């Protein structure tokens, strides 16, 4: 199509500008010693319930907050606020992903020095968020057992842009006839060596291992920064 | 951001060009008397299994074919070809949706006059495909019972661009504690009067009602065209 090269050029500029803002955010997060975790997945994988459980457990020992992206509604912010943690909703309208500038705007008025962890829940989309750096320290890609074992093969870019994979809704594994070995191998085929955690936010199985993983990664970053 | 107005302008041109091609496709479909159904949903909602069942049952009484979109892999085309129907895979690379030009290219060499139904399975994405007309006669939006009842409220644009909603994986409804009434009301809140079908491609429950619906809609179109 005639207009494609122009579209690609403009998109490159948008991504470049996003990277500049993301770099500034990362520097700001480092200075405040806040560990920033972003969550990406398709719609309905269970990001919000997972984050709800994360905030309620982690807030007992750490200072936590969350930003949550959706095209429409403030529902997720309302759900997450029940944990007692500060939460802000970012509504994107028709935009299919969060961008660094939205994070920057949403953080205005928050003192990051008062936080240990900041969580960012992206719009439910396994494609577009992969291109946008949000300045996070850790990007977590979630798939659920009901989505089929082939998702890593079909959406390789998002697995390549993420740092760790979480297989969610493990409580539904028998009903969905989920094949763990096949899903694990497909993740490794796309991203060899990727760490994969499995859990159920509903039953709590695997949640503590995930939280231990997060706190360990935060410690590692601080130790490295102090050297 | 400085480059946004330019991006929006270029995107408008791309959409305009897409509409021109979609209109040509629709005319071509009408002339060949083929009824074209597109499927949109998030990743892992079960579009492919649903389409697999659709093709194998419908091919007993009608001439059917399918185009199937994914970022990567030919897996879906291989699965769908088991039905005996002609199937072509469209791999989009990093693109998050199908466009009319891709449909046009994929159809080269196929004689549409030999078809009663053509199915188009879009890339798994509840956001981006909503903007791209593919020349289809009917757009079906799928959600599955494991994704939560709130998806229509969070992704209103795709429900507004679709003609009918299908709630899939009903066999998992008890395990997922799915609330049908709530999901139905959320669809109606976004798109009052929208027809909603529920089914399980796995058990076959509701499939015949869906196929009856499709054949009735095809008849309606032909009757209207003959007037």
């Amino acid at each position: 199509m005639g207009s494609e090269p122009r579209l690609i050029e403009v998109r490159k500029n948008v991504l470049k500008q996003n990277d500049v803002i993301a770099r500034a955010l990362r520097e700001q997060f480092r200075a405040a010693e806040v560990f920033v975790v972003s969550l990406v997945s398709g719609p309905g994988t269970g990001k919000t319930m997972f984050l709800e459980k994360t905030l309620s457990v982690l807030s007992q020992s750490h200072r936590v907050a969350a930003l949550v992206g959706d095209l429409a509604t403030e529902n997720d912010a309302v759900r997450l606020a029940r944990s007692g943690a500060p939460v802000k909703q970012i509504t994107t309208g028709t935009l299919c992903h969060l961008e660094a500038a939205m994070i920057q705007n949403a953080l205005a008025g928050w003192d990051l020095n008062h936080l240990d962890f900041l969580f960012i829940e992206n719009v439910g989309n396994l494609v577009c968020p992969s291109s946008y750096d949000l300045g996070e320290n850790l990007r977590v890609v979630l798939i659920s057992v009901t989505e089929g074992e082939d998702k890593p093969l079909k959406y390789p870019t998002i697995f390549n842009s993420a740092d760790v994979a979480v297989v969610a809704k493990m409580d539904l594994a028998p009903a969905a006839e989920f094949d763990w070995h096949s899903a694990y191998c497909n993740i490794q085929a796309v991203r060899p060596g990727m760490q994969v955690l499995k859990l159920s936010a509903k039953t709590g199985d695997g949640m503590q291992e995930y939280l231990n993983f997060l706190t360990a990664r935060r410690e590692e970053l601080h130790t490295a920064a102090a050297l």
Side-chain angles (χ1 to χ4, degrees), chain A residues 56-94:
Chain A
S56 35
V57 180
L58 212 54
S59 63
Q60 294 165 21
S61 54
H62 294 80
R63 299 164 303 173
V64 297
L67 302 177
V68 50
D70 266 310
L71 271 67
T73 84
E74 302 264 332
N75 297 359
D76 283 1
V78 173
R79 271 175 72 180
L80 293 171
R82 294 193 300 231
S83 67
V87 179
K88 259 190 211 170
Q89 181 86 42
I90 302 172
T91 46
T92 64
T94 56

Side-chain angles (χ1 to χ4, degrees), chain A residues 115-136:
Chain A
L115 287 181
D116 298 317
F117 285 97
L118 171 67
F119 292 88
I120 303 172
E121 181 184 334
N122 216 312
V123 175
N125 187 325
L126 264 188
V127 188
C128 314
S130 61
S131 310
Y132 294 84
D133 184 1
L134 304 179
E136 67 269 63

